[in-house]
Amino acid sequence: MKLQVLTLVLLTFTCGVLVTGFYTIKREEIEQNRKDFSLKSIKQIVNQDQFELVPINATRYIIQNEDTYIGTVFQSTSLSGYNGEIILWIATDGEGYIRGVRVVKHKETPGIGDLIDIEVSDWINQFIGMSPQNNWMHEDSDIDHVAGATVTTRAVAKAIFDALTIENQ
Amino acid sequence: MKKFSKIARDGIWQQNPALVQLLGLCPLLAVSNSFVTAFSLGIVTVLVLTISNVVISIIRLILNEDLSLTTQITVLATCLILSDIALQAWYFELHHRIGLFVALIVTNCSLLSRAELSSSSNPIISSAIDGLMMGLGFFWVIVLMGTIREGLGSGTLFSNMHMLLGPAGKNLEITFSHNGFLLLVLPPGAFLSLGFLIALKNFLFDNRD
């Protein structure tokens, strides 16, 4: 009986040490990967060759080019999509115009609603250069809402519109 | 030698975990919507199944049967967390896609059933071969389903291979059509294609004896 208990204790201990040890070794690499992954999509939407990102908090960065302020990039979330939350990163140029938008996380229907993802279609790029004055929630605006994916595209358009309106105030 | 070839035949065909035993369907159905995710999850399953079978068949020499379930779960969970961390460190983008299902392999009954039926009563080598063959049996089915669902559902093959192979994988994508049969990529398509595969196997090789 003693042997049994001892072996079980030893086994769980070894497993614990293995997992903790491996995680400790790899932790920095994983953190770095996570940061790179979100920075990658932020960098794509800034639409500028040279810039630095100055973090204000985890969901907001200031874009600078040699100490000159050239815009802000921030995260926004929409809950009115078809399936769970849609997380977007929006970059503005400081005068109320959009530098670029990316959807970084969504669970919209594959093949229908996922056209908001840049890897599927460049629908999201039509917001570049727009400002809330373009009022794209209005029926005859320049922004295409896609038939079949009405809920998804309207959710994204509204999220961008609202976020920008608040941002510009 | 004869014994080993029987183990191999059982794992890959006769007692195939996915097509005959119908175990571990959750990851099989959820991850098989593209080739690259199916392939990666298949590899992880083969590795974990083989390693955990070996470890369990060593430990069984010391522990008695009452404790076997505890040890099996501990060993399986450890192997899985290790592979999960490895994926996060080396293939982060891939982990983003299949990460949830890697953690779910621990509840994959095909692993637990192998641990219970094979490695808890067999010597190390035959447990290792059993794990490998059962893993391969799962592997070829999930890869086949991934190929069918991606090929017919989205009209492409080997898309997003860069998640696995780095920048070199970007050129591997083959597109034969821009209008796929969408239903196959959606969850119902998983059930349909698995159903058709099982039906086809039973129709061609009627071996329910």
Side-chain angles (χ1 to χ4, degrees):
Chain A
M1 195 59 210
K2 246 182 187 166
L3 180 72
Q4 306 283 316
V5 175
L6 209 67
T7 332
L8 198 60
V9 170
L10 207 68
L11 175 74
T12 31
F13 182 75
T14 327
C15 290
V17 168
L18 265 176
V19 169
T20 338
F22 193 51
Y23 184 64
T24 321
I25 298 168
K26 288 286 164 200
R27 186 168 56 198
E28 271 178 36
E29 214 171 315
I30 293 171
E31 290 293 315
Q32 192 59 42
N33 282 345
R34 189 162 294 156
K35 233 185 245 163
D36 288 350
F37 190 70
S38 52
L39 271 182
K40 206 173 86 187
S41 50
I42 296 175
K43 278 187 178 144
Q44 282 173 356
I45 58 176
V46 172
N47 220 346
Q48 180 100 12
D49 293 335
Q50 267 194 330
F51 63 90
E52 305 104 63
L53 291 170
V54 187
I56 297 179
N57 55 43
T59 58
R60 180 175 287 272
Y61 294 83
I62 283 192
I63 315 166
Q64 280 184 341
N65 187 10
E66 287 163 5
D67 294 336
T68 340
Y69 171 81
I70 54 169
T72 317
V73 51
F74 57 96
Q75 202 185 64
S76 174
T77 309
S78 171
L79 288 171
S80 38
Y82 206 70
N83 186 14
E85 54 180 15
I86 303 171
I87 298 179
L88 310 141
W89 278 93
I90 304 171
T92 65
D93 63 357
E95 287 159 23
Y97 293 95
I98 296 176
R99 279 177 173 280
V101 190
R102 278 286 180 287
V103 173
V104 289
K105 193 176 167 217
H106 73 91
K107 282 183 269 173
E108 302 303 303
T109 324
I112 302 172
D114 66 349
L115 69 125
I116 55 171
D117 198 324
I118 192 69
E119 300 204 348
V120 179
S121 86
D122 55 2
W123 178 84
I124 197 94
N125 278 343
Q126 61 182 326
F127 290 98
I128 294 175
M130 296 272 178
S131 82
Q133 270 100 46
N134 293 73
N135 193 4
W136 57 78
M137 294 314 289
H138 191 263
E139 303 251 313
D140 39 271
S141 68
D142 297 334
I143 297 286
D144 291 330
H145 295 277
V146 178
T150 321
V151 174
T152 305
T153 48
R154 284 194 76 86
V156 173
K158 185 158 174 19
I160 300 172
F161 188 80
D162 290 352
L164 222 67
T165 315
I166 296 168
E167 183 75 12
N168 288 350
Q169 269 167 11
Chain B
M1 224 39 229
K2 212 172 176 187
K3 198 175 136 211
F4 293 155
S5 75
K6 184 180 168 356
I7 295 177
R9 211 174 48 242
D10 269 354
I12 293 179
W13 187 250
Q14 221 89 42
Q15 290 295 319
N16 186 301
L19 288 182
V20 179
Q21 301 184 45
L22 300 183
L23 291 175
L25 292 188
C26 171
L28 179 73
L29 295 172
V31 178
S32 61
N33 57 358
S34 77
F35 178 84
V36 63
T37 50
F39 183 81
S40 331
L41 198 85
I43 297 258
V44 176
T45 311
V46 173
L47 284 178
V48 170
L49 198 54
T50 315
I51 295 171
S52 64
N53 260 9
V54 171
V55 176
I56 289 168
S57 79
I58 296 172
I59 295 172
R60 98 201 140 94
L61 300 171
I62 314 166
L63 285 178
N64 72 16
E65 280 173 16
D66 299 339
L67 293 169
S68 63
L69 193 63
T70 323
T71 44
Q72 285 159 13
I73 293 277
T74 316
V75 171
L76 279 174
T78 311
C79 291
L80 279 166
I81 296 172
L82 288 181
S83 53
D84 193 54
I85 297 172
L87 270 180
Q88 284 190 52
W90 293 313
Y91 300 103
F92 190 79
E93 218 175 317
L94 194 65
H95 180 267
H96 210 72
R97 294 274 286 273
I98 66 167
L100 181 66
F101 299 98
V102 172
L104 269 180
I105 299 180
V106 77
T107 59
N108 184 334
C109 304
S110 62
L111 268 71
L112 209 56
S113 83
R114 278 354 277 168
E116 186 63 43
L117 293 174
S118 166
S119 35
S120 59
S121 54
N122 282 314
I124 299 166
I125 299 175
S126 68
S127 307
I129 294 178
D130 184 87
L132 185 68
M133 290 307 158
M134 281 290 164
L136 285 178
F138 180 82
F139 177 79
W140 78 256
V141 176
I142 194 174
V143 167
L144 181 66
M145 276 183 64
T147 315
I148 294 175
R149 289 181 66 195
E150 194 190 334
L152 297 179
S154 3
T156 58
L157 205 53
F158 310 126
S159 64
N160 290 323
M161 280 302 268
H162 65 273
M163 293 198 292
L164 198 63
L165 302 174
K170 278 214 158 120
N171 306 323
L172 281 174
E173 181 170 342
I174 309 167
T175 310
F176 7 87
S177 155
H178 292 287
N179 292 314
F181 181 41
L182 180 64
L183 182 71
L184 278 179
V185 188
L186 302 178
F191 287 94
L192 284 175
S193 47
L194 181 67
F196 278 117
L197 270 183
I198 297 171
L200 188 71
K201 178 185 184 294
N202 287 344
F203 177 70
L204 291 179
F205 309 91
D206 195 1
N207 52 4
R208 289 163 295 164
D209 30 52

